[in-house]
Amino acid sequence: MSINGRAYIVGAYEHPTRKAPDKSVAQLHAECARGALADAGLKKSDIDGYICAGDAPGMGPINMLDYMNLKVRYFDSTDVGGSSYIAHVAHAAQAIAMGKASVVLITLAGRPRSEGQATGTAARPGNPGIPDSPWETHFAPVTANVYAMVAARHMYEYGTTSEQLAWIKVAASHHAQYNEHAMLRNVVTVEDVVNSPMVSDPLHRLDCCVISDGGGALIVTSPEIARSLKRPLVKVKGAGEAPKGQLGGEVDLRYSGGAWSGPRAFAEAGVRPADIKYASIYDSFTITVLQQIEDMGFCERGRGGAFVSDGNLISGVGKLPFNTDGGGLCNNHPANRGGITKVIEAVRQLRGEAHPKVQVPNCDLALAHGTGGLIGSRHGSATLILERE
């Protein structure tokens, strides 16, 4: 069943906090929900569907439904890391198209900064439930190592340089300077990035995302309800999902699951990469963005380094403005599933509500893409195409 035009995003809210030692994760979820309802002009009693991932405490949606006293007829707890909340929008649209719900609330929240999590540099504990875990855990892989391995391979295969990767951080910083809530608001140069301490060769400290508390929420509704509200219409036009693992030993680090989820989303939406005016791309590391740009079809494989150079991702300068809130590299990364912020900023751009200094003129078609897990091993990818009607 195609979801093109079957659902609309009517509410979007990003929590302003970046450190919340005095709040619980459940409280952050609830505050985000309240913000999204206010943005949409809806009441809590209007909600009949709810989605969250593993960032919610306990049994995810079950405990949060009880905490927020929501009475729904549809719920979902899909958890595929950073791609979760991109997939959630598609799942909400599917539920609405099937008549299972009419107003679906989606919330994310996390406190990794207050809890002292070293998301990218702490050893990942072995999980005996993962079939390959016994063969991997004795190497003590950390998130930054696995992404650095992908960056090193890209450099070996295509001649990509650290300076080219640095342009992604530079673009994010140019946007973050206008975001009063961003953790890193100083504009950086290519030299600043490549001269920052090495975390995992070839990735430097400024190639890595920030770690923050916070969260966000979205509300997806039927077309009838969307048109009854006094909000700009943001249509869910296309979506795609794809996992990628070790492929039975045919390991290839040169592409991610986005090479499959992207084309599926474009096909359902009936548009091409060249039609996209703005892109929200999950940016756990600079290499994550570069690889997704290739996988989405914005440039040929191996040409990502040249594509992102010289400010090509900066709004008002380049041909593919990206992450105009500063993204995970500069603004926030409230949980390991922070893809919801990518949808929120895409909605702002389509509504014309981004900061005036970074608002893309005549922005009527946007992409939001998330990567969950480790692009060097097992991960999920999800892609959304959104349109201003």
Side-chain angles (χ1 to χ4, degrees), residues 3-301:
I3 61 172
N4 190 336
R6 305 292 293 274
Y8 289 72
I9 298 176
V10 300
Y13 177 80
E14 179 184 349
H15 205 291
T17 190
R18 299 296 179 264
K19 190 171 184 179
D22 59 335
K23 298 179 186 291
S24 68
V25 172
Q27 183 178 351
L28 289 170
H29 272 278
E31 290 179 2
C32 290
R34 182 174 60 188
L37 283 168
D39 180 63
L42 291 167
K43 304 184 299 297
K44 189 176 79 166
S45 57
D46 295 320
I47 298 168
D48 63 355
Y50 177 64
I51 308 178
C52 67
D55 52 281
M59 292 185 290
I62 301 300
N63 287 339
M64 285 310 305
L65 285 166
D66 187 48
Y67 180 82
M68 294 190 288
N69 192 24
L70 293 174
K71 299 173 177 62
V72 301
R73 55 194 178 107
Y74 169 83
F75 63 91
D76 182 4
S77 61
T78 297
D79 192 348
V80 281
S83 58
S84 299
Y85 286 85
I86 310 290
H88 289 174
V89 175
H91 295 184
Q94 290 166 353
I96 291 168
M98 295 173 64
K100 300 293 185 182
S102 57
V103 179
V104 180
L105 168 68
I106 304 169
T107 66
L108 167 136
R111 299 176 65 253
R113 186 179 180 192
S114 290
E115 294 168 4
Q117 294 182 18
T119 306
T121 55
R124 298 173 71 87
N127 184 339
I130 299 175
D132 291 342
S133 185
W135 287 272
E136 296 176 351
T137 52
H138 62 284
F139 291 107
V142 304
T143 303
N145 294 158
V146 182
Y147 280 78
M149 182 171 62
V150 175
R153 186 67 190 185
H154 207 280
M155 291 178 172
Y156 173 79
E157 289 281 348
Y158 306 117
T160 308
T161 66
S162 291
E163 288 75 13
Q164 289 174 327
L165 284 177
W167 271 107
I168 299 169
K169 180 75 167 197
V170 171
S173 74
H174 272 269
H175 299 148
Q177 67 178 309
Y178 304 112
N179 183 350
E180 63 177 326
H181 302 300
M183 288 185 65
L184 303 180
R185 295 189 66 185
N186 292 334
V187 175
V188 301
T189 65
V190 169
E191 291 72 24
D192 290 333
V193 179
V194 298
N195 290 328
S196 64
M198 188 71 74
V199 172
S200 183
D201 193 13
L203 297 180
H204 303 80
R205 178 182 293 168
L206 292 182
D207 285 299
C208 307
C209 71
V210 299
I211 298 173
S212 76
D213 299 344
L218 298 163
I219 296 179
V220 186
T221 72
S222 65
E224 295 76 19
I225 292 176
R227 294 189 178 105
S228 72
L229 302 172
K230 297 177 181 180
R231 301 300 286 136
L233 292 172
V234 176
K235 179 194 298 182
V236 180
K237 195 169 177 67
E241 300 173 32
K244 181 171 180 277
Q246 303 298 291
L247 301 176
E250 295 182 13
V251 180
D252 191 337
L253 301 179
R254 295 174 298 176
Y255 68 95
S256 74
W260 298 311
S261 69
R264 290 167 186 166
F266 282 116
E268 183 170 49
V271 300
R272 303 168 301 155
D275 299 322
I276 298 297
K277 302 289 183 61
Y278 165 78
S280 278
I281 301 175
Y282 197 79
D283 52 346
S284 47
F285 300 90
T286 51
I287 183 60
T288 316
V289 177
L290 186 144
Q291 190 177 66
Q292 304 316 303
I293 283 173
E294 293 182 354
D295 290 345
M296 296 294 104
F298 291 110
C299 69
E300 295 179 13
R301 190 165 308 286

